[in-house]
Short mmCIF file of all heavy atoms in Angstrom, two decimals:
data_model
loop_
_atom_site.label_atom_id
_atom_site.label_comp_id
_atom_site.label_asym_id
_atom_site.label_seq_id
_atom_site.Cartn_x
_atom_site.Cartn_y
_atom_site.Cartn_z
N THR A 335 8.96 -140.37 -17.75
CA THR A 335 9.45 -141.60 -18.03
C THR A 335 9.01 -142.46 -16.91
O THR A 335 8.51 -143.68 -17.23
CB THR A 335 10.94 -141.61 -18.17
OG1 THR A 335 11.41 -140.76 -19.21
CG2 THR A 335 11.56 -143.04 -18.47
N LEU A 336 9.09 -142.16 -15.67
CA LEU A 336 8.75 -142.98 -14.61
C LEU A 336 7.25 -143.28 -14.61
O LEU A 336 6.78 -144.32 -14.33
CB LEU A 336 9.14 -142.36 -13.22
CG LEU A 336 10.68 -142.26 -12.89
CD1 LEU A 336 10.93 -141.58 -11.67
CD2 LEU A 336 11.25 -143.61 -12.78
N ALA A 337 6.51 -142.25 -14.99
CA ALA A 337 5.04 -142.45 -15.08
C ALA A 337 4.75 -143.43 -16.20
O ALA A 337 3.84 -144.36 -15.90
CB ALA A 337 4.34 -141.19 -15.42
N LEU A 338 5.27 -143.50 -17.25
CA LEU A 338 5.16 -144.42 -18.36
C LEU A 338 5.49 -145.88 -17.88
O LEU A 338 4.76 -146.84 -18.16
CB LEU A 338 5.84 -144.02 -19.64
CG LEU A 338 5.36 -142.80 -20.34
CD1 LEU A 338 6.25 -142.39 -21.46
CD2 LEU A 338 3.94 -143.03 -20.79
N CYS A 339 6.59 -145.98 -17.15
CA CYS A 339 7.04 -147.29 -16.74
C CYS A 339 6.02 -147.87 -15.63
O CYS A 339 5.83 -149.06 -15.71
CB CYS A 339 8.46 -147.05 -16.04
SG CYS A 339 9.80 -146.88 -17.26
N LEU A 340 5.57 -146.97 -14.76
CA LEU A 340 4.49 -147.35 -13.86
C LEU A 340 3.26 -147.89 -14.54
O LEU A 340 2.78 -148.99 -14.13
CB LEU A 340 4.28 -146.38 -12.91
CG LEU A 340 3.23 -146.61 -11.81
CD1 LEU A 340 3.69 -147.69 -10.90
CD2 LEU A 340 2.88 -145.32 -10.97
N VAL A 341 2.78 -147.11 -15.45
CA VAL A 341 1.57 -147.61 -16.17
C VAL A 341 1.83 -148.91 -16.99
O VAL A 341 1.06 -149.87 -16.82
CB VAL A 341 1.20 -146.43 -17.25
CG1 VAL A 341 0.07 -147.00 -18.08
CG2 VAL A 341 0.74 -145.35 -16.47
N PHE A 342 2.94 -149.01 -17.59
CA PHE A 342 3.31 -150.36 -18.20
C PHE A 342 3.31 -151.51 -17.23
O PHE A 342 2.82 -152.64 -17.51
CB PHE A 342 4.65 -150.19 -19.00
CG PHE A 342 4.99 -151.39 -19.72
CD1 PHE A 342 4.45 -151.77 -21.01
CD2 PHE A 342 6.00 -152.21 -19.20
CE1 PHE A 342 4.81 -153.02 -21.54
CE2 PHE A 342 6.39 -153.37 -19.81
CZ PHE A 342 5.85 -153.77 -21.04
N THR A 343 3.93 -151.32 -16.13
CA THR A 343 4.10 -152.36 -15.09
C THR A 343 2.73 -152.77 -14.63
O THR A 343 2.44 -154.01 -14.55
CB THR A 343 4.89 -151.89 -13.89
OG1 THR A 343 6.27 -151.48 -14.50
CG2 THR A 343 5.16 -153.10 -12.90
N VAL A 344 1.85 -151.83 -14.29
CA VAL A 344 0.52 -152.15 -13.75
C VAL A 344 -0.22 -152.90 -14.86
O VAL A 344 -1.00 -153.97 -14.55
CB VAL A 344 -0.23 -150.88 -13.32
CG1 VAL A 344 -1.65 -151.18 -13.00
CG2 VAL A 344 0.38 -150.25 -12.10
N ALA A 345 -0.18 -152.46 -16.04
CA ALA A 345 -0.94 -153.16 -17.18
C ALA A 345 -0.35 -154.63 -17.26
O ALA A 345 -1.17 -155.50 -17.55
CB ALA A 345 -0.74 -152.36 -18.50
N THR A 346 0.94 -154.84 -17.19
CA THR A 346 1.43 -156.19 -17.39
C THR A 346 0.99 -157.07 -16.24
O THR A 346 0.63 -158.25 -16.42
CB THR A 346 3.00 -156.10 -17.43
OG1 THR A 346 3.54 -155.22 -18.40
CG2 THR A 346 3.65 -157.43 -17.51
#
Side-chain angles (χ1 to χ4, degrees):
T335 303
L336 291 176
L338 289 175
C339 292
L340 179 60
V341 171
F342 178 77
T343 302
V344 171
T346 303

